[in-house]
mmCIF file of all heavy atoms in Angstrom:
data_model
loop_
_atom_site.group_PDB
_atom_site.id
_atom_site.type_symbol
_atom_site.label_atom_id
_atom_site.label_comp_id
_atom_site.label_asym_id
_atom_site.label_seq_id
_atom_site.Cartn_x
_atom_site.Cartn_y
_atom_site.Cartn_z
ATOM 1 N N TYR A 35 1.508 4.495 -6.277
ATOM 2 C CA TYR A 35 2.054 4.970 -5.014
ATOM 3 C C TYR A 35 3.559 5.180 -5.149
ATOM 4 O O TYR A 35 4.227 4.535 -5.960
ATOM 5 C CB TYR A 35 1.822 3.947 -3.893
ATOM 6 C CG TYR A 35 0.395 3.779 -3.446
ATOM 7 C CD1 TYR A 35 -0.482 2.963 -4.148
ATOM 8 C CD2 TYR A 35 -0.073 4.420 -2.301
ATOM 9 C CE1 TYR A 35 -1.797 2.793 -3.731
ATOM 10 C CE2 TYR A 35 -1.380 4.250 -1.868
ATOM 11 C CZ TYR A 35 -2.235 3.435 -2.590
ATOM 12 O OH TYR A 35 -3.536 3.271 -2.165
ATOM 13 N N ARG A 36 4.087 6.028 -4.292
ATOM 14 C CA ARG A 36 5.528 6.187 -4.164
ATOM 15 C C ARG A 36 5.914 5.816 -2.732
ATOM 16 O O ARG A 36 5.227 6.197 -1.761
ATOM 17 C CB ARG A 36 5.938 7.632 -4.449
ATOM 18 C CG ARG A 36 7.435 7.873 -4.382
ATOM 19 C CD ARG A 36 7.788 9.272 -4.827
ATOM 20 N NE ARG A 36 7.408 10.283 -3.853
ATOM 21 C CZ ARG A 36 7.560 11.588 -4.040
ATOM 22 N NH1 ARG A 36 8.066 12.031 -5.185
ATOM 23 N NH2 ARG A 36 7.198 12.435 -3.110
ATOM 24 N N GLN A 37 7.023 5.099 -2.614
ATOM 25 C CA GLN A 37 7.543 4.735 -1.304
ATOM 26 C C GLN A 37 9.006 5.129 -1.250
ATOM 27 O O GLN A 37 9.866 4.461 -1.840
ATOM 28 C CB GLN A 37 7.368 3.233 -1.036
ATOM 29 C CG GLN A 37 7.760 2.832 0.370
ATOM 30 C CD GLN A 37 7.495 1.368 0.662
ATOM 31 O OE1 GLN A 37 7.521 0.519 -0.232
ATOM 32 N NE2 GLN A 37 7.228 1.046 1.922
ATOM 33 N N GLN A 38 9.299 6.202 -0.561
ATOM 34 C CA GLN A 38 10.676 6.654 -0.426
ATOM 35 C C GLN A 38 11.393 5.738 0.569
ATOM 36 O O GLN A 38 10.744 5.080 1.392
ATOM 37 C CB GLN A 38 10.705 8.121 -0.014
ATOM 38 C CG GLN A 38 10.115 8.993 -1.127
ATOM 39 C CD GLN A 38 10.099 10.461 -0.807
ATOM 40 O OE1 GLN A 38 9.569 10.882 0.205
ATOM 41 N NE2 GLN A 38 10.706 11.253 -1.690
ATOM 42 N N PRO A 39 12.721 5.675 0.476
ATOM 43 C CA PRO A 39 13.476 4.703 1.279
ATOM 44 C C PRO A 39 13.134 4.762 2.759
ATOM 45 O O PRO A 39 13.176 5.829 3.377
ATOM 46 C CB PRO A 39 14.930 5.119 1.024
ATOM 47 C CG PRO A 39 14.907 5.752 -0.331
ATOM 48 C CD PRO A 39 13.591 6.464 -0.420
ATOM 49 N N GLY A 40 12.734 3.623 3.322
ATOM 50 C CA GLY A 40 12.420 3.526 4.732
ATOM 51 C C GLY A 40 11.128 4.205 5.152
ATOM 52 O O GLY A 40 10.875 4.372 6.347
ATOM 53 N N GLN A 41 10.314 4.597 4.182
ATOM 54 C CA GLN A 41 9.090 5.345 4.487
ATOM 55 C C GLN A 41 7.836 4.544 4.148
ATOM 56 O O GLN A 41 7.907 3.436 3.627
ATOM 57 C CB GLN A 41 9.082 6.661 3.707
ATOM 58 C CG GLN A 41 10.267 7.559 3.974
ATOM 59 C CD GLN A 41 10.326 8.041 5.407
ATOM 60 O OE1 GLN A 41 9.322 8.508 5.957
ATOM 61 N NE2 GLN A 41 11.488 7.905 6.030
ATOM 62 N N SER A 42 6.703 5.166 4.436
ATOM 63 C CA SER A 42 5.424 4.552 4.127
ATOM 64 C C SER A 42 5.045 4.827 2.674
ATOM 65 O O SER A 42 5.815 5.418 1.908
ATOM 66 C CB SER A 42 4.361 5.105 5.078
ATOM 67 O OG SER A 42 3.127 4.445 4.883
ATOM 68 N N LEU A 43 3.865 4.406 2.302
ATOM 69 C CA LEU A 43 3.382 4.580 0.932
ATOM 70 C C LEU A 43 2.578 5.875 0.835
ATOM 71 O O LEU A 43 1.730 6.157 1.694
ATOM 72 C CB LEU A 43 2.481 3.410 0.526
ATOM 73 C CG LEU A 43 3.145 2.068 0.246
ATOM 74 C CD1 LEU A 43 3.575 1.374 1.533
ATOM 75 C CD2 LEU A 43 2.209 1.180 -0.546
ATOM 76 N N THR A 44 2.839 6.616 -0.229
ATOM 77 C CA THR A 44 2.109 7.851 -0.498
ATOM 78 C C THR A 44 1.424 7.727 -1.852
ATOM 79 O O THR A 44 2.080 7.421 -2.855
ATOM 80 C CB THR A 44 3.055 9.060 -0.521
ATOM 81 O OG1 THR A 44 3.714 9.164 0.746
ATOM 82 C CG2 THR A 44 2.296 10.338 -0.804
ATOM 83 N N LEU A 45 0.135 7.986 -1.890
ATOM 84 C CA LEU A 45 -0.623 7.884 -3.132
ATOM 85 C C LEU A 45 -0.259 9.023 -4.072
ATOM 86 O O LEU A 45 -0.315 10.191 -3.683
ATOM 87 C CB LEU A 45 -2.120 7.905 -2.829
ATOM 88 C CG LEU A 45 -3.067 7.775 -4.017
ATOM 89 C CD1 LEU A 45 -2.917 6.415 -4.684
ATOM 90 C CD2 LEU A 45 -4.517 7.991 -3.580
ATOM 91 N N ILE A 46 0.117 8.667 -5.294
ATOM 92 C CA ILE A 46 0.402 9.669 -6.317
ATOM 93 C C ILE A 46 -0.891 10.043 -7.037
ATOM 94 O O ILE A 46 -1.237 11.220 -7.172
ATOM 95 C CB ILE A 46 1.425 9.134 -7.350
ATOM 96 C CG1 ILE A 46 2.765 8.832 -6.682
ATOM 97 C CG2 ILE A 46 1.583 10.119 -8.506
ATOM 98 C CD1 ILE A 46 3.759 8.119 -7.591
ATOM 99 N N ALA A 47 -1.595 9.011 -7.542
ATOM 100 C CA ALA A 47 -2.787 9.288 -8.339
ATOM 101 C C ALA A 47 -3.619 8.031 -8.519
ATOM 102 O O ALA A 47 -3.137 6.916 -8.350
ATOM 103 C CB ALA A 47 -2.395 9.847 -9.706
ATOM 104 N N THR A 48 -4.865 8.251 -8.873
ATOM 105 C CA THR A 48 -5.784 7.193 -9.277
ATOM 106 C C THR A 48 -5.806 7.162 -10.797
ATOM 107 O O THR A 48 -6.042 8.197 -11.438
ATOM 108 C CB THR A 48 -7.202 7.471 -8.746
ATOM 109 O OG1 THR A 48 -7.140 7.617 -7.325
ATOM 110 C CG2 THR A 48 -8.156 6.354 -9.115
ATOM 111 N N ALA A 49 -5.552 5.991 -11.366
ATOM 112 C CA ALA A 49 -5.547 5.850 -12.818
ATOM 113 C C ALA A 49 -6.954 5.503 -13.272
ATOM 114 O O ALA A 49 -7.469 4.434 -12.964
ATOM 115 C CB ALA A 49 -4.561 4.759 -13.239
ATOM 116 N N ASN A 50 -7.589 6.385 -13.983
ATOM 117 C CA ASN A 50 -8.965 6.198 -14.418
ATOM 118 C C ASN A 50 -9.000 5.693 -15.846
ATOM 119 O O ASN A 50 -8.346 6.257 -16.730
ATOM 120 C CB ASN A 50 -9.730 7.526 -14.320
ATOM 121 C CG ASN A 50 -9.735 8.074 -12.906
ATOM 122 O OD1 ASN A 50 -10.088 7.393 -11.955
ATOM 123 N ND2 ASN A 50 -9.308 9.323 -12.766
#
Side-chain angles (χ1 to χ4, degrees):
Chain A
Y35 290 82
R36 182 173 73 183
Q37 186 176 29
Q38 295 180 305
Q41 302 296 312
S42 185
L43 287 75
T44 301
L45 181 65
I46 297 172
T48 304
N50 301 308

